[in-house]
Amino acid sequence: MYVCGITPYDATHVGHANTYVTFDLINRVWQDAGHDVHYVQNVTDIDDPLLERAVATGQDWKAIADRETALFREDMEALRVLPPKDYIGAVESIPSVAEYVARLQAAGHVYAVDSDLYFSVTSDSTFGSVSRLSRDRMVELFAERGGDPERPGKHDPLDCLVWQSERPDEPAWDTPLGHGRPGWHIECAAIALDYLGMTIDVQGGGSDLAFPHHEMSASEAQVVTDEWPFARHYVHSGMVSWQGHKMSKSRGNLVFVSALRHERVDPMAIRLALLAHHYRSDWSWSPHGLEGAQERLNRWRAAITVAQAPSAEPTLARVREVLADDLRAPSALDAMDDWAHSTLGVAAAASIEAGSYATPAGPGGELFAAIADSLLGVRL
């Protein structure tokens, strides 16, 4: 599994967390089924937004990237997101990127515009099959999401940058391609090919990455290897909104995981608030949803202390069943709630207050806690 990581200039908001908890759930389900999971994630530690933030704040771009990457990993650890086997920065992948670009160029799939290099999307006969969008919509989204469809000299408006020559006052690296830095999409193609090879099982990220990022990365990988497909499945998590709009750094309507943690919000409540929504759904973050998640967490923690708790074997079977069916996390939470309610009784469940709970008592509570921990990533 390859999941596209953050651009570390302002991490980690709840929208990020929603994406990485989604793929953590896939990782856990696969491991529960006995699979050996090779999970790779990148971090785009050099890109225009990062450089723009450095100029705006007067800070060194690398210092920002290092600080925000460390904070992201702290947030993921707090949310109990299992770390990827390989976590690779764009900067460390530059030699590999340059090699792949050179191969594409030698085969006639990359051309120069001024001193920059572009990948010709018509080189891939399957281009467009990932996002399945009309050409007009692709051009529109390309302009909105970091592309340059109107640049003079391009063969096709959708052709994407794979190597950018050095710009004044911007970092650049010496490679056989010249002094510069990679384009965005080729970074992920290179990292995925180096660590996983072609035809990975899942390529993942937020739904806003389907086009252009996943479309372009797949085409570049397929053309440079002359193999198809890059991935068997493309999995995209929904967008999370706040104050009536999708959470975005440009708009500034962000709820940060670190801020919630500093307010002493239990990270397990944050995780439950995320799991309450199907991964493909677009939804709105709300304090009410977080309060409900904390109440659910309190119920579960109280239920595992009941000495005569019923068997949780049927709950385990149900949770496995619904997670195997397109990762229906809300139904898994419902199954867990059913066990907790039956254990506590309706009246007792309604009177639970936040607090500390005893060690799980009895096999029913122990198994329930293990289900929450191993499959859902919620430590009780």
Side-chain angles (χ1 to χ4, degrees):
M1 176 166 63
Y2 184 92
V3 179
C4 297
I6 60 165
T7 301
Y9 64 97
D10 205 0
T12 312
H13 60 70
V14 171
H16 288 137
N18 184 59
T19 293
Y20 300 112
V21 166
T22 291
F23 293 99
D24 182 61
L25 204 57
I26 293 175
N27 193 359
R28 289 173 180 275
V29 169
W30 279 352
Q31 291 195 36
D32 179 64
H35 298 296
D36 180 16
V37 183
H38 190 167
Y39 177 16
V40 178
Q41 187 180 133
N42 76 303
V43 55
T44 307
D45 53 359
I46 182 63
D47 202 8
D48 289 341
L50 176 59
L51 298 178
E52 290 165 5
R53 178 59 57 88
V55 171
T57 61
Q59 301 177 68
D60 178 72
W61 67 271
K62 191 175 186 307
I64 296 174
D66 290 346
R67 181 185 69 237
E68 297 300 329
T69 299
L71 179 57
F72 169 74
R73 300 188 80 167
E74 286 176 16
D75 287 338
M76 292 300 100
E77 183 178 0
L79 293 174
R80 302 205 63 246
V81 171
L82 301 175
K85 179 177 179 181
D86 296 297
Y87 190 64
I88 310 299
V91 170
E92 66 182 289
S93 70
I94 286 174
S96 180
V97 169
E99 180 182 341
Y100 284 116
V101 173
R103 285 167 55 182
L104 287 167
Q105 187 176 31
H109 305 302
V110 162
Y111 63 92
V113 177
D114 300 323
S115 55
D116 298 331
L117 299 179
Y118 280 81
F119 171 71
S120 178
V121 296
T122 57
S123 299
D124 179 18
S125 62
T126 69
F127 179 77
S129 61
V130 174
S131 59
R132 301 179 184 178
L133 299 172
S134 69
R135 179 176 173 84
D136 286 347
R137 183 57 175 155
M138 284 194 283
V139 171
E140 180 183 359
L141 286 176
F142 195 41
E144 293 175 5
R145 297 174 178 175
D148 54 358
E150 297 183 356
R151 181 173 182 178
K154 290 175 60 174
H155 296 176
D156 187 300
L158 292 173
D159 290 348
C160 62
L161 184 74
V162 289
W163 187 260
Q164 177 176 293
S165 63
E166 182 181 12
R167 301 293 197 262
D169 302 318
E170 291 188 2
W173 288 262
D174 284 320
T175 74
L177 301 174
H179 202 54
R181 59 184 172 92
W184 177 27
H185 315 302
I186 192 68
E187 294 168 357
C188 281
I191 293 169
L193 288 175
D194 285 349
Y195 288 86
L196 295 172
M198 282 294 285
T199 315
I200 58 181
D201 292 297
V202 164
Q203 158 75 306
S207 59
D208 56 345
L209 295 185
F211 190 88
H213 189 52
H214 287 171
E215 192 79 67
M216 301 293 188
S217 295
S219 286
E220 290 161 350
Q222 287 158 181
V223 171
V224 78
T225 62
D226 196 26
E227 295 180 40
W228 185 92
F230 174 58
R232 292 186 176 91
H233 303 282
Y234 294 88
V235 180
H236 298 110
S237 58
M239 296 290 101
V240 181
S241 62
W242 170 242
Q243 298 173 332
H245 299 279
K246 184 196 87 169
M247 284 192 193
S248 68
K249 294 171 182 176
S250 59
R251 188 178 293 274
N253 61 328
L254 303 176
V255 177
F256 290 101
V257 172
S258 58
L260 294 173
R261 290 168 51 211
H262 291 153
E263 294 167 7
R264 299 191 180 279
V265 175
D266 192 321
M268 296 300 91
I270 300 172
R271 185 173 176 112
L272 281 173
L274 301 174
L275 292 175
H277 305 272
H278 188 259
Y279 77 92
R280 285 190 284 109
S281 301
D282 295 336
W283 55 280
S284 297
W285 177 263
S286 72
H288 178 73
L290 183 58
E291 291 169 5
Q294 184 64 62
E295 292 170 1
R296 170 177 268 149
L297 183 63
N298 294 339
R299 284 197 301 271
W300 291 8
R301 285 176 172 165
I304 62 173
T305 68
V306 176
Q308 301 303 317
S311 170
E313 290 288 349
T315 303
L316 174 59
R318 177 60 177 165
V319 168
R320 282 174 167 162
E321 175 189 6
V322 296
L323 290 180
D325 181 15
D326 197 24
L327 217 65
R328 288 166 48 203
S331 296
L333 301 191
D334 289 343
M336 300 288 281
D337 284 342
D338 289 345
W339 184 91
H341 280 296
S342 67
T343 299
L344 294 166
V346 175
S351 65
I352 294 168
E353 298 179 355
S356 60
Y357 300 98
T359 304
E366 290 176 354
L367 178 56
F368 183 88
I371 298 167
D373 188 14
S374 298
L375 274 168
L376 300 175
V378 178
R379 177 176 289 151
L380 301 180

